[in-house]
Amino acid sequence: MEDIQVLIADDEKEIRELLKTYLEREMYKVDMAVNGEEALRLFDTNKYNLIILDLMMPKIDGIEVCRTLRNKTNVPILMLTAKDQEIDKILGLGIGADDYITKPFSVNELVARIKAHLRRFLILGSERSIGSAHEDTLIRYKGLTIDSKKYTVTRAGEEILLTAKEFELLKFFASHPEQVFTKIQIFRQVWDSEYLEDDNTVMVHIRKLRKKIEEDPSDPKLIQTLWGIGYKFVGEKDEA
């Protein structure tokens, strides 16, 4: 793993050093930046396989750094945020981050996510052009476009504002059309957890999502319920 290079950009020294220690244990090469300006400078002079950005940094914040980098590269970008509410801000702005985690966080969880993103990135290949990489992130159905890179959903050119979990839920359904999933299966995939604490969690999020994407939420055509079994996504795929 000596050839894996990671850039950490965070103005908190303790976090930078902690992440560096753990990632170097995985035999990754790690560079660190204390602000957004330094992060961009380092990116222009090095080749990284993954970038970790703090949302709030001096000189240039993580949002602007992410936007700038996403125009140059398709490497995974993970955002660190101080508050849960900032996750929806990240997604709503469509800055192109691949993942996000809130402080304080479990270092082991973050390292696990980093490994997962690196595996996907290395399997897919880093030599794709930015344009083709972006096209691969678009899921289109008649009247509905889901952009998993920018975390945006549009209908007839108008953006539909979704929360973080609503977006992940829709992306999961749209990526597996006509497949039936139980509530537990959905929870494991979208919430990335084995333990479903509240049986209503999935149902509540599906109800909220339907209100935003269905023409008639009381008679849903996209996310359909199979009583006693689960849910499935039904839609006419647009390959254009």
Side-chain angles (χ1 to χ4, degrees):
M1 287 291 184
E2 291 86 356
D3 57 336
I4 301 297
Q5 298 191 65
V6 177
L7 173 61
I8 301 170
D10 196 306
D11 60 334
E12 295 185 56
K13 182 179 179 180
E14 295 80 5
I15 290 180
R16 291 196 309 270
E17 295 292 345
L18 179 65
L19 292 178
K20 184 174 187 291
T21 298
Y22 272 76
L23 292 178
E24 286 183 339
R25 289 178 184 173
E26 301 295 331
M27 303 304 293
Y28 300 155
K29 182 178 182 296
V30 179
D31 288 337
M32 299 186 294
V34 300
N35 57 57
E37 189 176 274
E38 185 178 10
L40 292 175
R41 179 180 61 77
L42 284 171
F43 177 83
D44 287 337
T45 56
N46 297 277
K47 185 176 181 180
Y48 295 107
N49 303 102
L50 184 138
I51 301 167
I52 302 171
L53 296 176
D54 182 35
L55 182 67
M56 302 303 296
M57 290 188 293
K59 296 190 177 181
I60 305 176
D61 65 24
I63 291 175
E64 290 306 315
V65 172
C66 186
R67 279 181 173 145
T68 300
L69 292 177
R70 192 46 80 212
N71 289 327
K72 299 179 179 182
T73 182
N74 64 332
V75 301
I77 298 176
L78 279 69
M79 300 292 296
L80 301 179
T81 74
K83 301 176 182 177
D84 288 334
Q85 295 91 328
E86 289 175 341
I87 293 176
D88 289 332
K89 180 180 180 182
I90 291 172
L91 300 186
L93 291 172
I95 62 175
D98 295 274
D99 204 351
Y100 42 84
I101 192 165
T102 57
K103 301 176 183 178
F105 53 81
S106 161
V107 180
N108 288 330
E109 178 188 353
L110 180 56
V111 171
R113 293 196 192 187
I114 288 170
K115 288 181 177 180
H117 283 290
L118 282 171
R119 280 196 300 270
R120 285 193 290 268
F121 179 66
L122 295 174
I123 289 172
L124 290 173
S126 60
E127 299 304 320
R128 296 179 300 169
S129 69
I130 300 302
S132 64
H134 181 242
E135 279 301 311
D136 289 345
T137 68
L138 298 179
I139 305 173
R140 295 187 177 96
Y141 285 86
K142 291 297 183 182
L144 198 68
T145 299
I146 304 163
D147 190 327
S148 59
K149 183 61 66 177
K150 293 184 176 180
Y151 280 85
T152 58
V153 177
T154 57
R155 181 195 291 124
E158 293 292 326
E159 185 173 349
I160 302 172
L161 297 180
L162 302 180
T163 66
K165 278 294 177 274
E166 288 167 356
F167 181 88
E168 293 293 341
L169 185 59
L170 176 59
K171 184 177 71 170
F172 172 69
F173 274 127
S175 299
H176 303 85
E178 301 293 341
Q179 295 185 40
V180 180
F181 296 96
T182 66
K183 285 184 289 186
I184 292 177
Q185 288 174 322
I186 295 169
F187 188 81
R188 286 173 177 169
Q189 293 295 322
V190 178
W191 277 261
D192 195 24
S193 174
E194 290 292 321
Y195 182 55
L196 180 58
E197 296 182 11
D198 183 356
D199 192 50
N200 289 324
T201 300
V202 173
M203 291 189 297
V204 168
H205 279 78
I206 288 178
R207 184 169 66 246
K208 291 180 178 178
L209 181 58
R210 281 171 169 165
K211 289 181 179 179
K212 297 181 179 182
I213 68 169
E214 299 279 3
E215 291 186 8
D216 181 3
S218 64
D219 184 22
K221 302 299 183 184
L222 291 173
I223 302 176
Q224 297 184 358
T225 301
L226 281 75
W227 296 108
I229 304 175
Y231 302 89
K232 71 174 181 178
F233 185 89
V234 179
E236 184 179 353
K237 199 76 176 287
D238 185 357
E239 302 293 345

